[in-house]
Amino acid sequence: MSELIASQLPAFIEQPVITSMTFLNEVAIRYPDAISFAPGRPHERFFDVASLGRYLDRYTCYLRADLGYDEAQVGRTLLQYGPTAGTIRPLVAQMLATDEAIDVPPEALVMTVGCQEAIFLAVRALCPGPRDVIFLAEPGYLGLAGAALTLGVPTIRVPEGDDGIDLTALGAAVQRARDDGLNPRAVYVIPDFANPTGTVMSGAGREALLELAAGQDLFLLEDNPYGFTAREHVPTLKALDRQRRVIYLGTFAKICLPGTRVGFVIADQQVADAAGRTHLLADDLATIKSMITVNTSPIDQAVIAGMLLENGSSLKAVAQTKAAFYQHNLDVLLRELSSAFPPGSGVRWNSPPGGFFVVVDVPFRADEDVLRACAARYGVLWTPMSFFHEQGGQNRLRLSASYLDPDQIVTGVARLARFVREQRAGTAS
Ligand SMILES: Cc1ncc(COP(=O)(O)O)c(C=O)c1O
């Protein structure tokens, strides 16, 4: 039998950025009864298998009644290979106009297999050369860091402050990269409740980032899965974008259903070819997609379209109901942390106004072994923040409030508090 040697495979497969998700999944499988603050998953109380048929019916009615399709066309739309850029772009464009005041034509969109594919397409298209680099926050989202690593695109980390990525440090890092002969192409940001820190950028911070991008001739990759949980709406970068600097990476995973794996990218930038003709960047992203996933499942797109149509091409109402649940969970988590860790306990945390995540500083090294011990002895899981750092984050952990019921959050924090006390006292290993 032939055998492969690991060194013959790409080295990135064994990099922590890539392996940390597998590690977390393994721990979760090994301790299935543990209370898990680890995953940024939506709560399963919103899952209703029976509604899938209704969403599909709603979409097929729309195809017949609004678009005048006959049965053969309806069948083809749902069940045949579909157009690479997607089948539901007009509905998504309408949603973006209604919910986010983002006005783009359907042709500027590509429907993707989750936001993760949108990230891959954008990074691949913007960075063809070995000197092209992408900037992201430190700590930063694994999906971007892992995609760039997989594609062989270098990334440069820039510290995150209270108002998102530190713009002074970003300006300096871009300049340094240019001085080093690199070609800065884009900055990846999550302005609304970042993963992993929960940080929100202010309106002024967003305007300043757009200005920096214009001054430095950079694109902005705006990822926005958690914006729907905001208590106060701040316009997205894309809504403020007057120069088409922003490539917007969208997902229906958190508001609708992650199992559909439907996301999208807005790429309304003009691309000029050698003959001087122009087309949309979305066309090029679709061309790349045709060699990766061919098209996003039309059945999955139809489910999302049914949800949109049931809500008048807007997800605002759906989002508000769910946001109320996640805001309450976050409030419970912050309240329980306050009562479990009084001042002097050596434990501190941030208090994001929305999103799924809270970052906790603890007085010990919160690494993989410590997580295993915590799961085995105390039945509680979290994510080591070091996973999101290129360097550092050893004494920090990320808690997600999204996947649990409020009473599980109460029990989970109490267990975490016992674990932290024992770690501090040096009695747990
Ligand atoms: C920052 C960020 N982007 C995107 C996603 C969702 O990606 P997808 O649509 O591929 O599930 C997540 C989910 O964890 C995320 O945290």
Side-chain angles (χ1 to χ4, degrees):
M1 198 161 28
S2 83
E3 195 176 75
L4 283 161
I5 301 165
S7 62
Q8 294 173 321
L9 298 176
F12 69 74
I13 291 174
E14 294 184 0
Q15 294 278 312
V17 162
I18 309 276
T19 55
S20 53
M21 292 317 293
T22 317
F23 165 76
L24 283 178
N25 287 337
E26 278 166 12
V27 177
I29 290 166
R30 181 132 183 240
Y31 302 100
D33 297 329
I35 291 178
S36 183
F37 290 105
R41 294 180 170 193
H43 198 285
E44 292 173 9
R45 63 163 42 209
F46 300 115
F47 293 177
D48 175 20
V49 174
S51 64
L52 294 180
R54 198 181 74 232
Y55 295 139
L56 288 172
D57 283 347
R58 184 70 188 75
Y59 182 59
T60 52
C61 282
Y62 159 82
L63 292 178
R64 290 185 199 99
D66 291 54
L67 303 190
Y69 283 17
D70 62 25
E71 283 318 296
Q73 286 172 304
V74 170
R76 195 172 306 128
T77 303
L78 256 73
L79 305 176
Q80 186 54 276
Y81 284 109
T84 306
T87 41
I88 65 167
R89 293 188 296 167
L91 291 169
V92 177
Q94 232 173 305
M95 173 201 81
L96 288 165
T98 312
D99 290 351
E100 302 289 347
I102 295 174
D103 281 308
V104 285
E107 302 74 45
L109 299 174
V110 180
M111 301 306 301
T112 54
V113 180
C115 179
Q116 189 61 18
E117 190 189 26
I119 290 174
F120 258 83
L121 297 178
V123 173
R124 177 66 298 157
L126 291 181
C127 299
R131 296 185 169 276
D132 297 331
V133 286
I134 303 261
F135 296 81
L136 78 151
E138 168 84 338
Y141 179 52
L142 283 174
L144 185 282
L149 192 61
T150 304
L151 290 166
V153 171
T155 51
I156 293 176
R157 303 285 189 131
V158 177
E160 189 184 79
D162 293 341
D163 196 9
I165 196 161
D166 182 321
L167 297 187
T168 309
L170 176 61
V174 169
Q175 192 51 53
R176 231 178 1 259
R178 289 214 167 97
D179 293 345
D180 290 345
L182 297 170
N183 183 24
R185 293 290 284 154
V187 187
Y188 167 85
V189 284
I190 311 167
D192 293 283
F193 315 112
N195 184 0
T197 56
T199 305
V200 189
M201 284 187 83
S202 64
R206 293 171 200 225
E207 292 286 5
L209 177 59
L210 283 161
E211 209 171 296
L212 185 150
Q216 295 280 4
D217 193 19
L218 296 167
F219 290 101
L220 298 175
L221 302 180
E222 178 179 30
D223 190 356
N224 186 21
Y226 306 107
F228 75 99
T229 65
R231 290 170 223 234
E232 271 176 50
H233 179 73
V234 185
T236 61
L237 287 172
K238 189 65 199 166
L240 300 170
D241 179 23
R242 286 170 290 275
Q243 293 198 1
R244 301 194 186 176
R245 290 262 158 213
V246 181
I247 296 170
Y248 184 93
L249 310 161
T251 181
F252 292 97
K254 315 288 172 170
I255 299 184
C256 297
L257 300 166
T260 58
R261 305 300 304 126
V262 176
F264 62 92
V265 53
I266 307 174
D268 58 347
Q269 289 72 21
Q270 295 284 340
V271 180
D273 67 18
R277 283 184 300 262
T278 57
H279 60 272
L280 289 168
L281 177 61
D283 298 337
D284 294 325
L285 299 188
T287 303
I288 300 171
K289 177 180 168 69
S290 73
M291 286 297 127
I292 305 176
T293 55
V294 182
N295 61 252
T296 303
S297 159
I299 301 174
D300 289 327
Q301 290 183 73
V303 170
I304 297 299
M307 291 180 96
L308 283 167
L309 289 162
E310 265 198 8
N311 291 281
S313 294
S314 163
L315 286 179
K316 227 170 200 156
V318 180
Q320 264 164 13
T321 313
K322 296 189 179 181
F325 171 81
Y326 294 120
Q327 287 160 2
H328 177 65
N329 267 14
L330 191 61
D331 290 345
V332 172
L333 175 58
L334 293 171
R335 184 194 70 208
E336 292 304 307
L337 287 170
S338 289
S339 63
F341 300 107
S345 63
V347 177
R348 288 183 318 180
W349 57 93
N350 64 348
S351 299
F356 285 10
F357 308 112
V358 172
V359 174
V360 183
D361 290 318
V362 291
F364 53 86
R365 215 181 149 83
D367 61 16
E368 297 181 17
D369 290 339
V370 172
L371 172 58
R372 270 196 210 94
C374 186
R377 295 171 188 213
Y378 297 87
V380 66
L381 294 171
W382 33 267
T383 308
M385 273 299 286
S386 56
F387 287 2
F388 304 101
H389 281 261
E390 211 164 52
Q391 282 175 342
Q394 273 87 5
N395 284 38
R396 309 181 94 191
L397 42 101
R398 187 194 75 177
L399 300 182
S400 168
S402 61
Y403 186 59
L404 300 171
D405 290 323
D407 60 329
Q408 291 177 300
I409 295 175
V410 173
T411 310
V413 173
R415 290 184 189 180
L416 184 66
R418 285 207 333 269
F419 176 69
V420 170
R421 271 196 299 276
E422 296 202 18
Q423 276 295 115
R424 248 195 130 180
T427 53
S429 58

